[in-house]
Amino acid sequence: MLNIEIDGKSIEVEHGSTIIDAADKVGIAIPRFCYHPKLSVAANCRMCLVQVEKFNKPLPACATPVADGMKIFTRSKEAIKAQQSVMEFLLINHPLDCPICDQGGECDLQDIAVAYGASGSRYTEEKRVVVNKYIGPLVSTDMTRCIQCTRCVRFLQEVGGMQELGMVGRGEHAEITAYVDKSVNSELSGNIIDLCPVGALTSKPFKYSARSWELTRRPSIAPHDSLGSHIEVHVKDNKVMRVLPREKESINECWLSDRDRFSYEGLNSPDRLKVPMIKHNGAWVETDWKTAIEFASGQIKDITNQYGADALGVLVSPNSTMEEGYLAKHLASGLGCGNVDYRLRQTDFRLDGKRVGTPWMGVNIDEIEKLDRILLIGSNIRNEHPLLAQRFRKAVANGAELSIVSPLDNDPLMDIAHKVIVRPNDMVNVLGQILKAMSGLQRLSLCLPPTLTKLLEEIKVRPNTQAMAESLAGHGKDYDLIAPKVGIFLGNMALSDPRFTEMYSMAEAIGGISGAKGGILPAAANSTGMHLMGVMPSSTGMHARAMLEVPRKAYLLVNIEPELDCQHAALAKEAMQKAECVVALTAFKSQALEHADILLPIAPFTETSGTFMSMEGRVQSFYAAVKPLGECRPAWKVLRVLANTLGLDGFEFESSEQVKNTIFGGEKPSHVVWRSLNNNLKELVEIEVKIKSSGLQRIGEVPQNESDPIVRRATSLQKTKYNIRPMARMCEMQIQALGLADGDIVLAKQDKGSAVLKVKLDNHVAMGCVRVAASHELTTGLGDLMGDITLEKSSETDYKPYDTLIMEARA
């Protein structure tokens, strides 16, 4: 520790601290523009100049390390004069447009100008003007206001992983710009809006819609992935105007993904369902809640009485709250129905009953950046978990070695030590190679079950998988680690694969030998919570896939759009068509619910209270930020009233808090969670490690901006590069092998369904695979996300314009 003095206060600080760190520690305010605690030091704004004893000129507080015995003066005459001079210099070319600037009221330049600016300007020459840049549909630019602090440049390079902005020119001609004909495509780009200390970068969807002092700020939890980011919902006139991050160092730090930031536009979509509706003679008719609930309960009761409770299927969105999931499960149980599931995009259920506890990510979120070795299996981490990806990026920057086994070779914007890009069906064999190599390196083959040891004898370890095993064992290019911290994680593509069980078993075996932590990285906000509560079929019930393969007479849908949210879109559509009654609790009226019979309007996350459990097992509750729109009601209330109307016992809840207390048995949630979380298997399932390379396999990845009903209706997110027309994307060798060419039109067939697609060259896709996006209106005729697929050359006349196809799909 070092002893220093700031403005007469004696304090102790750690070695390596800067003056600005020390000042912040004791609450002494030093003005700054370019400095940010999460970014590297640039020291180019010079606003933080302070006086230091025995130095003949002011020093930048952000870039000056403290020394023992140092005396610092932040409010001396010399320091104030230096800060005022910098302020005057910055204002020379700054436009006087505060009344029309969206940053007004929360602008650092405004605030600091009040304290350090002069009453008038000595500058009489013409001010410079900088041409605005188009950097995408999310961020609006007014570059004349820019003070070249370079926070945006450093963020995109250091946190986002790719330098998409830079500074050109010198002196008065210096300006921030993107590359020629390029926009900012980072999935974290919205954070540069928060970082900009002036009004140069502002939110394009929010532009000119409200002033900051008109907004009411309410805390909430992001509902679009399982990270559980803390957010702040800004409200005006009972309408969500924007969403900003709340600082939570152990989860999202001070950042927010674009999906969580801009999805609020979907809350105000024209598709919002505001009143209950019943289908009468093929047409939707608005009705009141009493009639709708009585009709729904009557239909469910009649069908279960006539065909038995097994005739009902309950499908729950994994983005629903714990309270909603619990009541849906409780309602099904009360009717004697075991057909309930939240795993809509899963096709392999062989692990049911074989786990010791609730699967989770296996480590705390902030532990990721401390790992030495990382293995990602079947994960496009930037698409699935944009903000979690930057934790992995930090780990790699700290020296960790990243290994990837995946059917996609997408750039994670970090260094990859080893990678194997193969068909999804063949990933099991690759993991078997790693396991065999690991067991040889660690000399622990005797610890493996005899059946698995016998299977491994048939596998040939290749050089790339040998190198991957050596990395996980701690061997490195420059030095070896005796006890490396290893993390093994399975992503969404692995979870959706028909061989997920085998991948999971292999990953556990590798983890057992290497001493690794890790688990699954579920896509949805509450997947871990749903599993904890057992929102899954009973021992005699049917899982989500079975409920679609063998259609039920009636379905109760909670917050889902079957064609877009299920593993097999065509199967889901067919099952809804065949059902005698479909009751949908939904926030939106859409084409994906055309076969429903009753629509009950429920409140999205900003209009209800509830609880999510993140992938690390963190239980987080939130409250409504605005009143429900129209006649919408919280889903937990709708389920409670529906159960009461059905005459079921145990639904006497007056608040979501009471439901939460029932879920956790009155105990502290963390006590229940830590008793339940466990990724271990009771026994290894039967594994087939032989390579299965025949036929073409689809990679039905869900684009990040199509992941749930709210995001799908966020207009600005739909304009980004992540929302493009689905194509048949293949590597060059695969296109040639099929006798096709880039730009050809093909008819893609899966099961009984098909889709007309354009061939697109994409060398990020493994040989033997075709990448066709899922959760899109144009691919709802296709089958399994990771199933077999065939392509037949078609004619140009079959390929209709995008807008025409969308209109036909919705007609």
Side-chain angles (χ1 to χ4, degrees):
M1 300 296 287
L2 303 175
N3 294 303
I4 64 170
E5 184 180 295
I6 303 182
D7 292 344
K9 293 182 180 180
S10 296
I11 61 170
E12 282 190 347
V13 295
E14 294 181 359
H15 184 79
S17 299
T18 60
I19 292 174
I20 207 165
D21 293 333
D24 288 345
K25 183 179 178 180
V26 294
I28 294 174
I30 297 177
R32 77 289 300 267
F33 290 119
C34 67
Y35 173 78
H36 192 278
K38 293 290 182 181
L39 303 177
S40 61
V41 174
N44 53 2
C45 78
R46 317 307 283 183
M47 194 64 222
C48 64
L49 292 175
V50 294
Q51 181 184 356
V52 181
E53 188 180 59
K54 297 180 182 179
F55 282 83
N56 59 3
K57 64 177 183 179
L59 299 177
C62 65
T64 305
V66 296
D68 199 39
M70 181 181 277
K71 290 187 177 182
I72 303 148
F73 306 93
T74 69
R75 305 297 298 169
S76 66
K77 184 178 180 181
E78 184 179 347
I80 295 293
K81 183 180 177 182
Q83 292 161 356
Q84 288 175 338
S85 298
V86 171
M87 192 73 238
E88 182 179 22
F89 190 75
L90 289 173
L91 291 175
I92 281 176
N93 279 310
H94 199 80
L96 296 175
D97 60 353
C98 296
I100 63 161
C101 178
D102 262 344
Q103 195 77 358
E106 50 189 8
C107 175
D108 292 348
L109 189 69
Q110 271 187 337
D111 297 340
I112 295 175
V114 170
Y116 297 93
S119 58
S121 175
R122 294 182 289 175
Y123 189 77
T124 58
E125 287 78 11
E126 186 176 341
K127 296 192 175 196
R128 77 163 188 168
V129 175
V130 181
V131 177
N132 286 337
K133 316 293 188 300
Y134 175 80
I135 59 173
L138 304 178
V139 182
S140 178
T141 63
D142 194 322
M143 302 314 291
T144 302
R145 299 171 184 158
C146 179
I147 60 172
Q148 289 84 48
C149 71
T150 69
R151 280 185 179 182
C152 55
V153 177
R154 284 175 285 144
F155 171 83
L156 289 171
Q157 184 173 11
E158 297 166 14
V159 180
M162 180 168 58
Q163 186 172 358
E164 296 183 282
L165 293 176
M167 183 182 286
V168 297
R170 298 183 66 186
E172 190 180 57
H173 301 291
E175 60 179 274
I176 303 293
T177 184
Y179 290 97
V180 179
D181 296 329
K182 296 287 185 180
S183 60
V184 175
N185 293 317
S186 170
E187 57 277 5
L188 305 177
S189 65
N191 291 288
I192 64 178
I193 298 169
D194 301 334
L195 286 170
C196 185
V198 294
L201 303 173
T202 54
S203 170
K204 193 169 282 187
F206 176 72
K207 194 170 185 177
Y208 300 144
S209 60
R211 302 300 264 168
S212 63
W213 54 84
E214 299 174 325
L215 301 172
T216 303
R217 293 157 171 79
R218 299 201 170 100
S220 191
I221 303 298
H224 304 300
D225 62 28
S226 54
L227 189 69
S229 298
H230 285 215
I231 60 174
E232 191 173 74
V233 180
H234 289 197
V235 177
K236 178 185 176 184
D237 297 333
N238 201 50
K239 182 180 179 182
V240 177
M241 304 303 294
R242 66 177 178 182
V243 170
L244 297 181
R246 276 190 300 138
E247 189 167 345
K248 184 66 175 178
E249 185 63 28
S250 59
I251 301 176
N252 56 298
E253 300 177 82
C254 56
W255 314 125
L256 197 60
S257 69
D258 289 348
R259 177 170 59 186
D260 289 331
R261 181 185 297 270
F262 296 106
S263 65
Y264 72 88
E265 287 186 294
L267 300 170
N268 306 314
S269 165
D271 288 350
R272 277 297 300 272
L273 181 66
K274 300 177 185 178
V275 294
M277 302 186 83
I278 295 175
K279 189 175 284 183
H280 181 67
N281 294 330
W284 287 110
V285 178
E286 295 184 357
T287 186
D288 59 84
W289 270 105
K290 186 175 185 294
T291 303
I293 289 288
E294 288 178 351
F295 183 65
S297 63
Q299 290 288 300
I300 293 172
K301 195 177 293 184
D302 289 345
I303 289 173
T304 53
N305 287 341
Q306 182 178 354
Y307 301 103
D310 190 51
L312 174 67
V314 181
L315 297 173
V316 185
S317 167
N319 286 314
S320 297
T321 65
M322 294 186 76
E323 291 82 356
E324 293 160 6
Y326 172 80
L327 291 175
K329 169 74 173 178
H330 196 30
L331 185 150
S333 300
L335 291 169
C337 173
N339 307 329
V340 58
D341 210 346
Y342 74 94
R343 299 164 297 176
L344 308 180
R345 291 192 176 122
Q346 194 168 319
T347 190
D348 183 0
F349 300 90
R350 286 175 288 165
L351 285 180
D352 285 4
K354 293 183 172 63
R355 287 190 177 101
V356 174
T358 298
W360 63 303
M361 71 180 296
V363 296
N364 289 328
I365 292 167
D366 56 358
E367 287 182 52
I368 288 176
E369 57 196 66
K370 300 170 187 174
L371 295 173
D372 300 312
R373 300 289 187 268
I374 300 168
L375 174 61
L376 284 180
I377 303 167
S379 174
N380 182 1
I381 191 69
R382 284 178 58 198
N383 178 69
E384 297 163 11
H385 299 285
L387 203 50
L388 187 66
Q390 72 96 13
R391 292 280 189 178
F392 287 104
R393 215 167 279 134
K394 272 189 182 181
V396 172
N398 293 336
E401 288 188 4
L402 173 65
S403 299
I404 291 178
V405 178
S406 174
L408 295 180
D409 192 15
N410 286 76
D411 186 3
L413 301 181
M414 60 189 109
D415 293 334
I416 302 173
H418 311 283
K419 63 183 175 183
V420 179
I421 308 302
V422 294
R423 288 162 38 93
N425 276 343
D426 301 337
M427 289 198 293
V428 176
N429 183 275
V430 172
L431 295 176
Q433 293 179 43
I434 297 171
L435 178 59
K436 183 174 182 178
M438 284 288 296
S439 62
L441 288 168
Q442 303 285 29
R443 299 180 182 178
L444 293 174
S445 56
L446 293 177
C447 297
L448 297 176
T451 52
L452 186 54
T453 304
K454 187 176 180 180
L455 281 172
L456 294 181
E457 290 175 0
E458 305 172 13
I459 293 180
K460 180 182 178 182
V461 178
R462 302 184 182 275
N464 52 358
T465 49
Q466 178 69 36
M468 200 174 286
E470 290 175 359
S471 173
L472 294 175
H475 303 306
K477 293 180 181 178
D478 302 320
Y479 57 89
D480 292 347
L481 297 174
I482 297 174
K485 297 177 182 176
V486 182
I488 300 176
F489 306 97
L490 291 95
N492 291 352
M493 286 184 285
L495 286 165
S496 300
D497 196 83
R499 305 190 72 190
F500 164 64
T501 295
E502 293 158 279
M503 294 183 203
Y504 190 98
S505 300
M506 283 293 190
E508 178 167 327
I510 295 170
I513 289 180
S514 62
K517 293 183 177 181
I520 61 173
L521 303 177
N526 203 28
S527 297
T528 309
M530 291 292 181
H531 198 287
L532 178 85
M533 295 183 296
V535 185
M536 294 178 292
S538 64
S539 57
T540 57
M542 304 171 77
H543 52 67
R545 178 57 181 261
M547 282 186 252
L548 301 179
E549 290 178 332
V550 184
R552 303 294 84 198
K553 295 294 183 181
Y555 287 97
L556 176 62
L557 311 179
V558 182
N559 199 24
I560 73 165
E561 296 177 317
E563 299 172 23
L564 302 174
D565 292 325
C566 290
Q567 164 79 304
H568 196 303
L571 207 59
K573 186 175 183 178
E574 185 180 358
M576 299 304 129
Q577 283 178 317
K578 291 181 176 179
E580 293 183 14
C581 178
V582 177
V583 180
L585 280 65
T586 177
F588 303 96
K589 183 177 182 290
S590 70
Q591 183 64 24
L593 291 168
E594 63 174 324
H595 301 298
D597 299 284
I598 305 160
L599 298 180
L600 303 177
I602 59 172
F605 77 104
T606 52
E607 300 169 18
T608 185
S609 56
T611 304
F612 291 141
M613 183 189 290
S614 70
M615 64 173 84
E616 66 170 350
R618 191 185 295 259
V619 178
Q620 302 183 116
S621 295
F622 57 92
Y623 298 95
V626 294
K627 295 177 182 177
L629 186 66
E631 294 185 31
C632 291
R633 297 291 182 268
W636 70 266
K637 284 189 177 181
V638 177
L639 289 166
R640 181 201 65 188
V641 175
L642 181 61
N644 289 336
T645 310
L646 285 165
L648 304 179
D649 295 327
F651 287 86
E652 297 77 23
F653 301 107
E654 297 296 327
S655 68
S656 63
E657 190 69 26
Q658 289 182 1
V659 183
K660 178 184 173 183
N661 290 336
T662 303
I663 293 171
F664 294 104
E667 290 189 67
K668 192 175 180 180
S670 59
H671 294 169
V672 177
V673 168
W674 290 114
R675 284 202 308 267
S676 305
L677 296 181
N678 196 321
N679 286 319
N680 294 333
L681 295 177
K682 296 175 183 176
E683 58 183 20
L684 287 176
V685 298
E686 185 177 341
I687 298 173
E688 173 60 60
V689 294
K690 290 182 180 179
I691 292 179
K692 298 181 178 180
S693 354
S694 58
L696 195 62
Q697 190 171 0
R698 178 190 178 190
I699 303 174
E701 188 181 30
V702 178
Q704 60 179 278
N705 294 336
E706 300 284 348
S707 57
D708 62 63
I710 297 176
V711 174
R712 287 194 280 269
R713 291 167 173 83
T715 53
S716 294
L717 289 176
Q718 299 308 311
K719 296 175 185 176
T720 65
K721 74 159 193 173
Y722 298 103
N723 185 61
I724 58 177
R725 178 173 180 160
M727 299 180 183
R729 296 175 173 271
M730 294 174 282
C731 65
E732 187 173 6
M733 288 178 63
Q734 185 62 56
I735 292 175
Q736 292 175 354
L738 293 173
L740 300 171
D742 187 20
D744 281 353
I745 308 302
V746 294
L747 180 67
K749 292 183 177 180
Q750 267 191 299
D751 297 336
K752 301 175 184 177
S754 63
V756 178
L757 305 168
K758 181 178 283 189
V759 173
K760 178 68 175 177
L761 175 63
D762 186 349
N763 284 320
H764 298 117
V765 183
M767 183 66 181
C769 299
V770 55
R771 186 178 187 178
V772 181
S775 295
H776 196 283
E777 290 171 313
L778 300 187
T779 56
T780 54
L782 296 178
D784 283 325
L785 302 184
M786 297 290 170
D788 293 335
I789 189 171
T790 60
L791 300 180
E792 298 175 3
K793 195 166 183 178
S794 188
S795 64
E796 289 281 350
T797 55
D798 295 329
Y799 193 73
K800 298 179 182 179
Y802 185 77
D803 292 340
T804 303
L805 282 173
I806 291 295
M807 290 177 66
E808 287 180 358
R810 295 177 179 175

